[in-house]
Short mmCIF file of all heavy atoms in Angstrom, two decimals:
data_model
loop_
_atom_site.label_atom_id
_atom_site.label_comp_id
_atom_site.label_asym_id
_atom_site.label_seq_id
_atom_site.Cartn_x
_atom_site.Cartn_y
_atom_site.Cartn_z
N MET A 43 -10.30 -44.39 116.93
CA MET A 43 -9.79 -44.79 115.66
C MET A 43 -10.88 -44.64 114.60
O MET A 43 -12.03 -45.04 114.72
CB MET A 43 -9.36 -46.28 115.74
CG MET A 43 -8.94 -46.78 114.45
SD MET A 43 -8.66 -48.60 114.53
CE MET A 43 -6.93 -48.67 114.15
N ARG A 44 -10.57 -44.08 113.53
CA ARG A 44 -11.52 -43.71 112.43
C ARG A 44 -11.44 -44.82 111.37
O ARG A 44 -10.35 -45.21 110.99
CB ARG A 44 -11.17 -42.39 111.80
CG ARG A 44 -12.10 -41.99 110.76
CD ARG A 44 -11.78 -40.61 110.27
NE ARG A 44 -12.55 -40.32 109.14
CZ ARG A 44 -12.50 -39.30 108.41
NH1 ARG A 44 -11.61 -38.35 108.71
NH2 ARG A 44 -13.29 -39.14 107.40
N ARG A 45 -12.55 -45.36 111.02
CA ARG A 45 -12.63 -46.44 110.00
C ARG A 45 -12.93 -45.86 108.64
O ARG A 45 -13.64 -44.98 108.51
CB ARG A 45 -13.70 -47.36 110.34
CG ARG A 45 -13.43 -48.21 111.59
CD ARG A 45 -14.54 -49.27 111.72
NE ARG A 45 -14.14 -50.07 112.89
CZ ARG A 45 -14.12 -51.33 112.81
NH1 ARG A 45 -14.43 -51.98 111.75
NH2 ARG A 45 -13.78 -52.08 113.89
N MET A 46 -12.31 -46.47 107.67
CA MET A 46 -12.49 -46.00 106.26
C MET A 46 -13.75 -46.76 105.76
O MET A 46 -13.92 -47.86 106.02
CB MET A 46 -11.31 -46.37 105.38
CG MET A 46 -9.99 -45.66 105.75
SD MET A 46 -10.14 -43.89 105.58
CE MET A 46 -10.06 -43.88 103.84
N LYS A 47 -14.54 -46.05 105.00
CA LYS A 47 -15.78 -46.61 104.43
C LYS A 47 -15.34 -47.43 103.14
O LYS A 47 -14.60 -46.89 102.18
CB LYS A 47 -16.74 -45.63 104.08
CG LYS A 47 -18.10 -46.09 103.47
CD LYS A 47 -18.99 -44.99 103.17
CE LYS A 47 -20.24 -45.56 102.55
NZ LYS A 47 -21.21 -44.47 102.22
N ALA A 48 -15.85 -48.66 103.01
CA ALA A 48 -15.51 -49.45 101.83
C ALA A 48 -16.21 -48.84 100.61
O ALA A 48 -17.49 -48.44 100.67
CB ALA A 48 -15.94 -50.86 102.08
N VAL A 49 -15.55 -48.89 99.45
CA VAL A 49 -16.19 -48.42 98.28
C VAL A 49 -17.08 -49.60 97.66
O VAL A 49 -16.58 -50.58 97.45
CB VAL A 49 -15.12 -48.11 97.19
CG1 VAL A 49 -15.79 -47.65 95.91
CG2 VAL A 49 -14.27 -46.92 97.70
N THR A 50 -18.34 -49.24 97.59
CA THR A 50 -19.35 -50.29 97.07
C THR A 50 -19.86 -49.93 95.79
O THR A 50 -20.30 -50.79 94.98
CB THR A 50 -20.41 -50.58 98.10
OG1 THR A 50 -21.07 -49.33 98.32
CG2 THR A 50 -19.95 -51.11 99.40
N ASP A 51 -19.81 -48.62 95.43
CA ASP A 51 -20.36 -48.20 94.09
C ASP A 51 -19.27 -47.46 93.37
O ASP A 51 -18.56 -46.62 94.02
CB ASP A 51 -21.52 -47.31 94.31
CG ASP A 51 -22.72 -48.07 94.89
OD1 ASP A 51 -22.99 -49.17 94.44
OD2 ASP A 51 -23.42 -47.43 95.76
N PRO A 52 -19.06 -47.61 92.07
CA PRO A 52 -18.00 -46.96 91.34
C PRO A 52 -18.44 -45.43 91.15
O PRO A 52 -19.62 -45.08 91.16
CB PRO A 52 -17.99 -47.57 90.05
CG PRO A 52 -19.29 -48.33 89.88
CD PRO A 52 -19.82 -48.63 91.29
N LYS A 53 -17.43 -44.62 91.00
CA LYS A 53 -17.71 -43.21 90.81
C LYS A 53 -18.20 -43.07 89.34
O LYS A 53 -17.77 -43.85 88.45
CB LYS A 53 -16.42 -42.36 90.97
CG LYS A 53 -16.05 -42.36 92.44
CD LYS A 53 -14.83 -41.62 92.78
CE LYS A 53 -14.59 -41.82 94.23
NZ LYS A 53 -13.52 -40.96 94.73
N ARG A 54 -19.05 -42.24 89.07
CA ARG A 54 -19.71 -42.07 87.72
C ARG A 54 -18.99 -41.06 86.91
O ARG A 54 -19.57 -40.40 85.99
CB ARG A 54 -21.14 -41.72 87.90
CG ARG A 54 -21.93 -42.89 88.39
CD ARG A 54 -23.31 -42.73 88.04
NE ARG A 54 -24.18 -43.85 88.42
CZ ARG A 54 -24.66 -44.70 87.61
NH1 ARG A 54 -24.50 -44.56 86.40
NH2 ARG A 54 -25.38 -45.70 88.03
N ASN A 55 -17.69 -40.78 87.09
CA ASN A 55 -16.90 -39.89 86.30
C ASN A 55 -16.55 -40.47 85.00
O ASN A 55 -15.70 -41.53 84.99
CB ASN A 55 -15.65 -39.41 87.17
CG ASN A 55 -15.01 -38.23 86.49
OD1 ASN A 55 -15.21 -37.88 85.33
ND2 ASN A 55 -14.30 -37.38 87.25
N THR A 56 -16.99 -39.95 83.95
CA THR A 56 -16.68 -40.50 82.59
C THR A 56 -15.70 -39.72 81.77
O THR A 56 -15.59 -39.84 80.55
CB THR A 56 -17.99 -40.78 81.79
OG1 THR A 56 -18.65 -39.50 81.66
CG2 THR A 56 -18.92 -41.70 82.47
N ILE A 57 -14.98 -38.77 82.44
CA ILE A 57 -14.04 -37.89 81.76
C ILE A 57 -12.66 -38.32 82.11
O ILE A 57 -12.32 -38.47 83.27
CB ILE A 57 -14.33 -36.47 82.15
CG1 ILE A 57 -15.64 -36.04 81.87
CG2 ILE A 57 -13.27 -35.47 81.51
CD1 ILE A 57 -16.13 -36.01 80.43
N CYS A 58 -11.78 -38.51 81.09
CA CYS A 58 -10.38 -38.76 81.26
C CYS A 58 -9.61 -37.65 81.92
O CYS A 58 -9.69 -36.48 81.46
CB CYS A 58 -9.69 -39.13 79.90
SG CYS A 58 -7.91 -39.40 80.04
N PRO A 59 -8.94 -37.94 83.13
CA PRO A 59 -8.24 -36.81 83.71
C PRO A 59 -6.98 -36.35 83.03
O PRO A 59 -6.39 -35.30 83.46
CB PRO A 59 -7.83 -37.37 85.07
CG PRO A 59 -7.81 -38.86 84.84
CD PRO A 59 -8.77 -39.15 83.81
N LEU A 60 -6.51 -37.08 81.97
CA LEU A 60 -5.38 -36.64 81.19
C LEU A 60 -5.73 -35.72 80.00
O LEU A 60 -5.10 -34.73 79.73
CB LEU A 60 -4.58 -37.75 80.74
CG LEU A 60 -3.93 -38.61 81.83
CD1 LEU A 60 -3.17 -39.80 81.30
CD2 LEU A 60 -2.98 -37.77 82.65
N CYS A 61 -6.77 -36.09 79.25
CA CYS A 61 -6.99 -35.36 78.00
C CYS A 61 -8.40 -34.59 78.02
O CYS A 61 -8.62 -33.85 77.19
CB CYS A 61 -6.97 -36.32 76.78
SG CYS A 61 -8.41 -37.47 76.72
N GLY A 62 -9.17 -35.04 79.02
CA GLY A 62 -10.48 -34.33 79.04
C GLY A 62 -11.58 -34.90 78.22
O GLY A 62 -12.71 -34.48 78.17
N GLY A 63 -11.21 -35.99 77.38
CA GLY A 63 -12.25 -36.67 76.62
C GLY A 63 -12.91 -37.67 77.37
O GLY A 63 -12.73 -37.98 78.53
N ALA A 64 -13.75 -38.33 76.66
CA ALA A 64 -14.65 -39.44 77.26
C ALA A 64 -13.67 -40.65 77.50
O ALA A 64 -12.77 -40.95 76.71
CB ALA A 64 -15.73 -39.95 76.33
N ASN A 65 -13.78 -41.24 78.74
CA ASN A 65 -12.90 -42.39 79.04
C ASN A 65 -13.38 -43.75 78.66
O ASN A 65 -12.68 -44.73 78.93
CB ASN A 65 -12.50 -42.28 80.54
CG ASN A 65 -13.66 -42.47 81.50
OD1 ASN A 65 -14.73 -42.89 81.08
ND2 ASN A 65 -13.46 -42.16 82.73
N ALA A 66 -14.58 -43.86 78.14
CA ALA A 66 -15.13 -45.13 77.73
C ALA A 66 -15.19 -46.14 78.85
O ALA A 66 -15.04 -47.35 78.59
CB ALA A 66 -14.40 -45.71 76.52
N CYS A 67 -15.39 -45.72 80.06
CA CYS A 67 -15.47 -46.64 81.20
C CYS A 67 -16.81 -47.21 81.39
O CYS A 67 -17.77 -46.42 81.72
CB CYS A 67 -15.01 -45.87 82.43
SG CYS A 67 -15.04 -46.88 83.92
N ALA A 68 -16.93 -48.50 81.08
CA ALA A 68 -18.36 -49.14 81.23
C ALA A 68 -18.75 -49.18 82.72
O ALA A 68 -19.93 -49.13 82.96
CB ALA A 68 -18.24 -50.54 80.63
N VAL A 69 -17.78 -49.28 83.59
CA VAL A 69 -18.14 -49.33 85.07
C VAL A 69 -18.69 -47.97 85.44
O VAL A 69 -19.78 -47.91 86.08
CB VAL A 69 -16.91 -49.67 85.88
CG1 VAL A 69 -17.10 -49.56 87.38
CG2 VAL A 69 -16.41 -51.10 85.52
N ALA A 70 -17.98 -46.91 85.08
CA ALA A 70 -18.59 -45.64 85.52
C ALA A 70 -19.97 -45.33 84.78
O ALA A 70 -20.92 -44.75 85.40
CB ALA A 70 -17.60 -44.42 85.04
N ALA A 71 -20.05 -45.66 83.56
CA ALA A 71 -21.37 -45.50 82.72
C ALA A 71 -22.52 -46.23 83.35
O ALA A 71 -23.59 -45.80 83.48
CB ALA A 71 -21.16 -45.83 81.35
N SER A 72 -22.19 -47.46 83.92
CA SER A 72 -23.25 -48.31 84.37
C SER A 72 -23.47 -48.14 85.88
O SER A 72 -24.55 -48.45 86.39
CB SER A 72 -22.98 -49.75 84.16
OG SER A 72 -21.87 -50.23 84.90
N GLY A 73 -22.43 -47.68 86.51
CA GLY A 73 -22.61 -47.56 87.98
C GLY A 73 -22.44 -48.87 88.76
O GLY A 73 -22.81 -48.94 89.92
N SER A 74 -21.85 -49.85 88.07
CA SER A 74 -21.70 -51.19 88.68
C SER A 74 -20.30 -51.74 88.30
O SER A 74 -19.84 -51.67 87.18
CB SER A 74 -22.77 -52.13 88.13
OG SER A 74 -22.47 -53.48 88.51
N PHE A 75 -19.73 -52.42 89.32
CA PHE A 75 -18.48 -53.05 89.07
C PHE A 75 -18.66 -54.39 88.35
O PHE A 75 -17.69 -55.09 88.05
CB PHE A 75 -17.69 -53.26 90.38
CG PHE A 75 -17.12 -52.03 91.01
CD1 PHE A 75 -17.54 -51.64 92.21
CD2 PHE A 75 -16.05 -51.40 90.39
CE1 PHE A 75 -17.02 -50.48 92.83
CE2 PHE A 75 -15.50 -50.30 90.92
CZ PHE A 75 -15.95 -49.82 92.04
N ASP A 76 -19.88 -54.82 88.19
CA ASP A 76 -20.17 -56.19 87.56
C ASP A 76 -20.29 -56.10 86.06
O ASP A 76 -20.73 -57.18 85.53
CB ASP A 76 -21.55 -56.60 88.15
CG ASP A 76 -21.52 -56.89 89.67
OD1 ASP A 76 -20.35 -57.25 90.22
OD2 ASP A 76 -22.49 -56.74 90.32
N VAL A 77 -19.84 -55.01 85.36
CA VAL A 77 -19.80 -55.04 83.91
C VAL A 77 -18.37 -55.17 83.51
O VAL A 77 -17.46 -54.73 84.13
CB VAL A 77 -20.51 -53.81 83.48
CG1 VAL A 77 -21.99 -53.74 83.82
CG2 VAL A 77 -19.81 -52.58 83.85
N PRO A 78 -18.17 -55.80 82.29
CA PRO A 78 -16.81 -55.84 81.74
C PRO A 78 -16.44 -54.44 81.20
O PRO A 78 -17.24 -53.66 80.74
CB PRO A 78 -16.95 -56.82 80.58
CG PRO A 78 -18.41 -56.89 80.24
CD PRO A 78 -19.14 -56.55 81.50
N CYS A 79 -15.16 -54.19 81.28
CA CYS A 79 -14.63 -52.89 80.79
C CYS A 79 -13.28 -53.17 80.11
O CYS A 79 -12.56 -54.00 80.50
CB CYS A 79 -14.44 -51.90 81.93
SG CYS A 79 -14.12 -50.25 81.35
N TRP A 80 -12.94 -52.32 79.13
CA TRP A 80 -11.67 -52.45 78.32
C TRP A 80 -10.47 -52.42 79.29
O TRP A 80 -9.44 -53.06 79.04
CB TRP A 80 -11.61 -51.30 77.36
CG TRP A 80 -11.41 -49.98 77.84
CD1 TRP A 80 -12.42 -49.09 78.24
CD2 TRP A 80 -10.21 -49.30 78.20
NE1 TRP A 80 -11.93 -47.96 78.74
CE2 TRP A 80 -10.63 -48.04 78.79
CE3 TRP A 80 -8.97 -49.69 78.24
CZ2 TRP A 80 -9.62 -47.14 79.29
CZ3 TRP A 80 -7.97 -48.78 78.70
CH2 TRP A 80 -8.30 -47.50 79.22
N CYS A 81 -10.57 -51.64 80.43
CA CYS A 81 -9.37 -51.38 81.21
C CYS A 81 -8.97 -52.59 82.04
O CYS A 81 -7.83 -52.63 82.44
CB CYS A 81 -9.64 -50.17 82.15
SG CYS A 81 -10.91 -50.48 83.35
N ARG A 82 -9.90 -53.53 82.18
CA ARG A 82 -9.52 -54.66 82.99
C ARG A 82 -8.43 -55.50 82.37
O ARG A 82 -7.83 -56.33 83.09
CB ARG A 82 -10.80 -55.49 83.38
CG ARG A 82 -11.68 -54.71 84.25
CD ARG A 82 -12.76 -55.46 84.88
NE ARG A 82 -13.59 -54.59 85.64
CZ ARG A 82 -14.73 -54.86 86.18
NH1 ARG A 82 -15.18 -56.09 86.01
NH2 ARG A 82 -15.35 -54.04 86.88
N THR A 83 -8.30 -55.55 81.03
CA THR A 83 -7.26 -56.31 80.43
C THR A 83 -6.14 -55.45 79.84
O THR A 83 -5.21 -55.99 79.26
CB THR A 83 -7.92 -57.10 79.31
OG1 THR A 83 -8.58 -56.33 78.41
CG2 THR A 83 -8.82 -58.21 79.86
N ALA A 84 -6.26 -54.10 79.96
CA ALA A 84 -5.29 -53.23 79.36
C ALA A 84 -3.99 -53.19 80.21
O ALA A 84 -4.05 -53.25 81.36
CB ALA A 84 -5.86 -51.86 79.28
N LYS A 85 -2.89 -53.10 79.43
CA LYS A 85 -1.63 -52.94 80.09
C LYS A 85 -1.34 -51.45 79.99
O LYS A 85 -1.14 -50.93 78.96
CB LYS A 85 -0.54 -53.70 79.44
CG LYS A 85 -0.76 -55.16 79.32
CD LYS A 85 -0.14 -55.90 80.48
CE LYS A 85 -0.25 -57.36 80.26
NZ LYS A 85 -1.02 -58.15 81.27
N ILE A 86 -1.27 -50.80 81.17
CA ILE A 86 -1.06 -49.32 81.25
C ILE A 86 0.32 -49.07 81.91
O ILE A 86 0.52 -49.47 83.00
CB ILE A 86 -2.19 -48.60 81.99
CG1 ILE A 86 -3.56 -48.92 81.39
CG2 ILE A 86 -1.96 -47.05 82.03
CD1 ILE A 86 -4.72 -48.45 82.16
N ASP A 87 1.14 -48.33 81.10
CA ASP A 87 2.41 -48.04 81.58
C ASP A 87 2.35 -47.14 82.91
O ASP A 87 1.58 -46.23 82.91
CB ASP A 87 3.22 -47.17 80.48
CG ASP A 87 4.66 -47.12 80.76
OD1 ASP A 87 5.07 -46.58 81.74
OD2 ASP A 87 5.49 -47.62 79.98
N GLN A 88 3.17 -47.48 83.85
CA GLN A 88 3.16 -46.68 85.18
C GLN A 88 3.45 -45.25 84.92
O GLN A 88 2.87 -44.32 85.60
CB GLN A 88 4.17 -47.28 86.16
CG GLN A 88 4.14 -46.63 87.57
CD GLN A 88 2.71 -46.71 88.21
OE1 GLN A 88 2.14 -47.87 88.24
NE2 GLN A 88 2.23 -45.62 88.74
N ALA A 89 4.27 -44.96 83.94
CA ALA A 89 4.69 -43.49 83.65
C ALA A 89 3.38 -42.77 83.16
O ALA A 89 3.22 -41.52 83.45
CB ALA A 89 5.71 -43.39 82.57
N VAL A 90 2.48 -43.47 82.51
CA VAL A 90 1.23 -42.79 82.04
C VAL A 90 0.38 -42.52 83.33
O VAL A 90 -0.16 -41.49 83.51
CB VAL A 90 0.44 -43.68 81.01
CG1 VAL A 90 -0.93 -43.09 80.80
CG2 VAL A 90 1.23 -43.80 79.79
N LEU A 91 0.26 -43.47 84.19
CA LEU A 91 -0.53 -43.30 85.39
C LEU A 91 0.04 -42.22 86.22
O LEU A 91 -0.66 -41.51 86.92
CB LEU A 91 -0.64 -44.57 86.20
CG LEU A 91 -1.29 -45.76 85.48
CD1 LEU A 91 -1.19 -47.04 86.29
CD2 LEU A 91 -2.78 -45.44 85.18
N ASP A 92 1.35 -42.07 86.29
CA ASP A 92 2.00 -41.12 87.08
C ASP A 92 1.75 -39.62 86.52
O ASP A 92 1.86 -38.66 87.37
CB ASP A 92 3.57 -41.28 87.16
CG ASP A 92 3.93 -42.50 87.92
OD1 ASP A 92 3.08 -43.01 88.72
OD2 ASP A 92 5.11 -42.90 87.76
N ARG A 93 1.24 -39.50 85.35
CA ARG A 93 0.91 -38.16 84.77
C ARG A 93 -0.40 -37.76 85.28
O ARG A 93 -0.82 -36.53 85.09
CB ARG A 93 0.88 -38.29 83.24
CG ARG A 93 2.29 -38.40 82.72
CD ARG A 93 2.43 -38.34 81.15
NE ARG A 93 1.27 -37.60 80.58
CZ ARG A 93 0.39 -38.15 79.56
NH1 ARG A 93 0.64 -39.39 79.17
NH2 ARG A 93 -0.52 -37.51 79.08
N ILE A 94 -1.23 -38.57 85.87
CA ILE A 94 -2.61 -38.13 86.34
C ILE A 94 -2.30 -37.17 87.52
O ILE A 94 -1.56 -37.47 88.45
CB ILE A 94 -3.38 -39.38 86.87
CG1 ILE A 94 -3.62 -40.33 85.68
CG2 ILE A 94 -4.78 -38.88 87.49
CD1 ILE A 94 -4.28 -41.61 86.06
N PRO A 95 -2.87 -35.99 87.51
CA PRO A 95 -2.69 -35.11 88.62
C PRO A 95 -3.17 -35.71 89.98
O PRO A 95 -4.17 -36.42 90.05
CB PRO A 95 -3.68 -33.89 88.33
CG PRO A 95 -3.84 -33.99 86.78
CD PRO A 95 -3.80 -35.45 86.49
N VAL A 96 -2.35 -35.47 90.95
CA VAL A 96 -2.53 -36.05 92.27
C VAL A 96 -4.05 -35.94 92.74
O VAL A 96 -4.66 -36.92 93.25
CB VAL A 96 -1.62 -35.48 93.35
CG1 VAL A 96 -1.91 -36.03 94.70
CG2 VAL A 96 -0.17 -35.77 92.98
N GLY A 97 -4.62 -34.79 92.64
CA GLY A 97 -6.03 -34.59 93.08
C GLY A 97 -7.02 -35.35 92.24
O GLY A 97 -8.24 -35.44 92.75
N GLN A 98 -6.73 -35.89 91.11
CA GLN A 98 -7.61 -36.65 90.28
C GLN A 98 -7.43 -38.15 90.30
O GLN A 98 -8.16 -38.86 89.67
CB GLN A 98 -7.60 -36.10 88.90
CG GLN A 98 -8.07 -34.70 88.80
CD GLN A 98 -8.02 -34.17 87.34
OE1 GLN A 98 -7.06 -34.45 86.64
NE2 GLN A 98 -9.07 -33.48 86.97
N ARG A 99 -6.37 -38.59 91.01
CA ARG A 99 -6.12 -40.05 91.03
C ARG A 99 -7.24 -40.71 91.83
O ARG A 99 -7.68 -40.23 92.74
CB ARG A 99 -4.80 -40.30 91.73
CG ARG A 99 -3.64 -39.86 90.79
CD ARG A 99 -2.28 -40.03 91.40
NE ARG A 99 -1.31 -39.42 90.48
CZ ARG A 99 -0.06 -39.39 90.76
NH1 ARG A 99 0.45 -39.90 91.88
NH2 ARG A 99 0.85 -38.76 89.89
N ASN A 100 -7.61 -41.93 91.25
CA ASN A 100 -8.67 -42.66 91.84
C ASN A 100 -10.04 -42.05 91.71
O ASN A 100 -10.94 -42.39 92.58
CB ASN A 100 -8.34 -43.14 93.31
CG ASN A 100 -7.12 -43.92 93.39
OD1 ASN A 100 -6.90 -44.90 92.61
ND2 ASN A 100 -6.20 -43.54 94.24
N GLU A 101 -10.15 -40.99 90.98
CA GLU A 101 -11.42 -40.36 90.78
C GLU A 101 -12.05 -40.63 89.38
O GLU A 101 -13.32 -40.55 89.37
CB GLU A 101 -11.27 -38.81 90.92
CG GLU A 101 -10.75 -38.32 92.29
CD GLU A 101 -11.73 -38.63 93.32
OE1 GLU A 101 -12.96 -38.37 93.07
OE2 GLU A 101 -11.33 -39.02 94.43
N ALA A 102 -11.32 -41.01 88.41
CA ALA A 102 -11.78 -41.45 87.16
C ALA A 102 -10.75 -42.24 86.38
O ALA A 102 -9.57 -42.05 86.67
CB ALA A 102 -12.14 -40.15 86.37
N CYS A 103 -11.26 -42.96 85.41
CA CYS A 103 -10.34 -43.79 84.58
C CYS A 103 -9.82 -42.93 83.48
O CYS A 103 -10.51 -41.96 83.00
CB CYS A 103 -11.15 -44.91 83.92
SG CYS A 103 -11.66 -46.24 85.17
N ILE A 104 -8.62 -43.27 82.95
CA ILE A 104 -8.12 -42.55 81.82
C ILE A 104 -8.70 -43.32 80.66
O ILE A 104 -9.40 -44.31 80.70
CB ILE A 104 -6.57 -42.64 81.74
CG1 ILE A 104 -5.97 -44.06 81.73
CG2 ILE A 104 -6.07 -41.84 82.90
CD1 ILE A 104 -4.50 -44.12 81.49
N CYS A 105 -8.66 -42.63 79.43
CA CYS A 105 -9.27 -43.16 78.27
C CYS A 105 -8.38 -44.15 77.55
O CYS A 105 -7.05 -44.17 77.82
CB CYS A 105 -9.63 -42.00 77.24
SG CYS A 105 -8.19 -41.15 76.52
N PRO A 106 -8.84 -44.93 76.66
CA PRO A 106 -8.07 -45.95 75.92
C PRO A 106 -6.78 -45.31 75.16
O PRO A 106 -5.83 -45.88 75.23
CB PRO A 106 -8.94 -46.63 74.93
CG PRO A 106 -10.31 -46.55 75.57
CD PRO A 106 -10.22 -45.14 76.24
N ARG A 107 -7.07 -44.09 74.54
CA ARG A 107 -6.04 -43.47 73.81
C ARG A 107 -4.91 -43.04 74.79
O ARG A 107 -3.71 -43.25 74.43
CB ARG A 107 -6.55 -42.24 73.08
CG ARG A 107 -5.59 -41.61 72.21
CD ARG A 107 -6.09 -40.40 71.47
NE ARG A 107 -6.40 -39.43 72.58
CZ ARG A 107 -6.79 -38.25 72.36
NH1 ARG A 107 -6.83 -37.68 71.16
NH2 ARG A 107 -7.07 -37.36 73.42
N CYS A 108 -5.21 -42.43 75.87
CA CYS A 108 -4.18 -42.06 76.80
C CYS A 108 -3.58 -43.35 77.41
O CYS A 108 -2.25 -43.32 77.68
CB CYS A 108 -4.74 -41.14 77.96
SG CYS A 108 -5.16 -39.50 77.35
N ALA A 109 -4.25 -44.32 77.67
CA ALA A 109 -3.74 -45.58 78.31
C ALA A 109 -2.79 -46.30 77.32
O ALA A 109 -1.80 -46.97 77.82
CB ALA A 109 -4.83 -46.52 78.60
N ALA A 110 -2.94 -46.13 76.01
CA ALA A 110 -2.11 -46.75 75.04
C ALA A 110 -0.72 -46.07 74.87
O ALA A 110 0.17 -46.62 74.29
CB ALA A 110 -2.76 -46.85 73.74
N GLN A 111 -0.61 -44.90 75.41
CA GLN A 111 0.59 -44.10 75.31
C GLN A 111 1.70 -44.85 76.13
O GLN A 111 1.49 -45.32 77.24
CB GLN A 111 0.47 -42.69 75.83
CG GLN A 111 -0.40 -41.84 75.03
CD GLN A 111 -0.61 -40.51 75.52
OE1 GLN A 111 -0.08 -40.13 76.63
NE2 GLN A 111 -1.44 -39.68 74.91
N ALA A 112 2.87 -44.92 75.54
CA ALA A 112 3.98 -45.63 76.12
C ALA A 112 4.90 -44.53 76.69
O ALA A 112 4.91 -43.42 76.35
CB ALA A 112 4.73 -46.43 75.17
N ALA A 113 5.66 -44.93 77.77
CA ALA A 113 6.58 -44.01 78.34
C ALA A 113 7.71 -43.80 77.30
O ALA A 113 7.98 -44.57 76.47
CB ALA A 113 7.26 -44.74 79.61
N PRO A 114 8.29 -42.58 77.33
CA PRO A 114 9.40 -42.31 76.41
C PRO A 114 10.51 -43.39 76.57
O PRO A 114 10.86 -43.83 77.72
CB PRO A 114 9.90 -40.97 76.88
CG PRO A 114 8.80 -40.41 77.66
CD PRO A 114 8.04 -41.52 78.30
N ASP A 115 11.02 -43.92 75.49
CA ASP A 115 12.06 -44.90 75.52
C ASP A 115 13.39 -44.18 75.75
O ASP A 115 13.92 -43.49 74.99
CB ASP A 115 12.15 -45.61 74.12
CG ASP A 115 13.05 -46.68 74.07
OD1 ASP A 115 13.78 -47.00 75.02
OD2 ASP A 115 13.22 -47.32 72.96
N SER A 116 13.97 -44.52 76.94
CA SER A 116 15.25 -43.89 77.38
C SER A 116 16.36 -44.35 76.51
O SER A 116 17.43 -43.76 76.45
CB SER A 116 15.48 -44.25 78.82
OG SER A 116 15.48 -45.59 79.06
N SER A 117 16.20 -45.53 75.91
CA SER A 117 17.32 -46.04 74.97
C SER A 117 17.40 -45.30 73.64
O SER A 117 18.33 -45.47 72.95
CB SER A 117 17.08 -47.56 74.77
OG SER A 117 15.93 -47.77 73.92
N SER A 118 16.44 -44.45 73.32
CA SER A 118 16.52 -43.66 72.14
C SER A 118 17.04 -42.35 72.24
O SER A 118 16.86 -41.48 71.41
CB SER A 118 15.07 -43.66 71.52
OG SER A 118 14.20 -42.93 72.33
N GLY A 119 17.65 -42.10 73.34
CA GLY A 119 18.23 -40.80 73.59
C GLY A 119 19.50 -40.49 72.63
O GLY A 119 19.83 -41.26 71.80
N PRO A 120 20.16 -39.40 72.90
CA PRO A 120 21.28 -39.06 72.02
C PRO A 120 22.36 -40.12 72.15
O PRO A 120 22.59 -40.75 73.17
CB PRO A 120 21.79 -37.74 72.64
CG PRO A 120 20.76 -37.25 73.62
CD PRO A 120 19.88 -38.45 73.87
N ARG A 121 22.99 -40.32 70.94
CA ARG A 121 24.03 -41.33 70.94
C ARG A 121 25.39 -40.65 70.63
O ARG A 121 25.40 -39.70 69.90
CB ARG A 121 23.76 -42.33 69.79
CG ARG A 121 22.42 -43.17 70.11
CD ARG A 121 22.49 -44.39 69.25
NE ARG A 121 21.38 -45.23 69.80
CZ ARG A 121 20.48 -45.70 69.00
NH1 ARG A 121 20.49 -45.62 67.77
NH2 ARG A 121 19.53 -46.51 69.59
N PRO A 122 26.39 -41.16 71.29
CA PRO A 122 27.68 -40.47 71.11
C PRO A 122 28.22 -40.66 69.69
O PRO A 122 27.83 -41.46 68.99
CB PRO A 122 28.60 -41.17 72.06
CG PRO A 122 27.90 -42.40 72.74
CD PRO A 122 26.45 -42.25 72.24
#
């Protein structure tokens, strides 16, 4: 049986996987989970997270601008 290694240090990737800009991740910049970061209190729509390419998920944080994007409102579609 193969054991998974626990993550003890954050990845230092500071690039948003959605837009390619800086992600403003204090954890990645500091290399420590012990610092406060904007993302810990942000509400991020699941549809936004689903846009992250599979190979880049859990590799880097998205930026505040991308995180603030809302899913398209299905109630605003064409009306009869």
